Amino acid sequence: MGTHETAARPPHPDDRDFPARRAPGCPGLAELDAAVTQCRACPRLVAWREDVAVTKRRAFQDWEYWGRPVPGFGPPDAALVVVGLAPAAHGGNRTGRMFTGDDSGDILVKALHAVGLASQPTSTHRGDGLELRGVRLAAPVHCAPPQNKPTPGERDTCRPWLARELELLSPALRAVVVLGAFGWQAVLPVLSHAGWQLPRPRPVFGHGAQVTLPSAGTGRELHLLGCYHPSRQNTFTGRLTLPMLVDVFQHAADVAGLNP
């Protein structure tokens, strides 16, 4: 096969550059979400998510695990995006929906419901009736990682999916809530690439951090907010409580124009 033919070969899900080659060409969120679920670019994550889906947790032995990359969840005209870390091994990796079926999803959706951004206070499985109002849940890494710790390389490989997701959402996007320092570091270069101006030095993550990013083009400014991740470690120790999470989402809804 010649050089020209090799360059023209369609991206394969096993290719390391599959996200970088496939994501930019997705014309809408439905196509993007479908492409995300096909990705096998990170061998370590593929092996882990598929092994978990076979061995399962005892409490979920009757479940047929999703065992694939988990796409974002929420309407295509969302004004607010909530960026987490990655799907949980027995949460999103089991249910196939972001922040669904684990402790983090329980408290996060309860907080969104308290602010009026979710139709119900629980998120247990796809098809449970949950609808989000003006909010989309996203992640910088779409596969469940061992010990909930993706590597920087895996984060960077997965980045084009989030970049295209935010680009497609940009006409209506007004605010981004980032859950945790890992997500914060992953989101900043994506926002810069999407056309928002980052201050120098770059903003530092912290719970309650707030930065307003002007648009480099003709779009509107973007409100960037930091929040502790609703992980079991943070919520069980009281570092993050439900009222704290509700306060963050209430403010995010205000700046995003989602409150009546």
Side-chain angles (χ1 to χ4, degrees):
M1 181 179 289
T3 303
H4 177 73
E5 291 173 307
T6 300
R9 180 177 65 85
H12 190 276
D14 288 332
D15 294 342
R16 189 70 176 181
D17 63 350
F18 179 72
R21 297 180 61 196
R22 183 70 179 88
C26 292
L29 283 174
E31 293 83 2
L32 182 74
D33 291 346
V36 164
T37 65
Q38 300 170 7
C39 189
R40 300 177 61 84
C42 299
R44 186 182 80 110
L45 298 187
V46 171
W48 172 255
R49 79 189 192 211
E50 293 181 354
D51 179 66
V52 168
V54 173
T55 58
K56 305 181 181 180
R57 179 173 283 173
R58 181 175 298 178
F60 304 123
Q61 286 298 311
D62 294 336
W63 276 77
E64 181 177 347
Y65 275 52
W66 174 260
R68 288 179 278 164
V70 181
F73 172 59
D77 59 348
L80 169 62
V81 170
V82 179
V83 179
L85 170 60
H90 302 282
N93 188 56
R94 171 173 60 91
T95 63
R97 195 172 72 190
M98 202 69 69
F99 282 107
T100 299
D102 62 5
D103 293 334
S104 295
D106 289 346
I107 189 171
L108 183 136
V109 173
K110 187 177 294 184
L112 289 174
H113 179 259
V115 180
L117 301 179
S119 62
Q120 60 191 43
T122 57
S123 178
T124 57
H125 62 278
R126 286 177 294 130
D128 62 3
L130 175 64
E131 295 181 0
L132 300 181
R133 173 179 161 280
V135 181
R136 183 169 172 90
L137 305 180
V141 175
H142 287 275
C143 291
Q147 300 178 328
N148 291 321
K149 294 181 179 179
T151 67
E154 290 161 349
R155 174 200 64 198
D156 294 346
T157 297
C158 205
R159 181 178 292 158
W161 299 124
L162 181 61
R164 183 57 178 157
E165 188 170 15
L166 295 183
E167 186 178 20
L168 290 168
L169 290 166
S170 62
L173 189 59
R174 301 292 176 263
V176 175
V177 173
V178 185
L179 306 174
F182 184 95
W184 187 270
Q185 292 301 321
V187 161
L188 292 181
V190 171
L191 295 177
S192 178
H193 179 76
W196 282 286
Q197 298 178 24
L198 296 180
R200 292 183 179 275
R202 287 192 171 186
V204 177
F205 172 78
H207 184 81
Q210 300 180 40
V211 185
T212 300
L213 307 178
S215 172
T218 58
R220 298 184 184 181
E221 63 185 15
L222 183 73
H223 300 275
L224 180 64
L225 296 86
C227 177
Y228 290 143
H229 192 284
S231 64
R232 176 178 292 187
Q233 180 179 0
N234 284 339
T235 57
F236 279 26
T237 60
R239 189 184 192 202
L240 179 67
T241 64
L242 178 60
M244 290 169 64
L245 197 54
V246 169
D247 284 346
V248 170
F249 287 144
Q250 183 66 68
H251 180 59
D254 288 340
V255 298
L258 290 174
N259 283 329

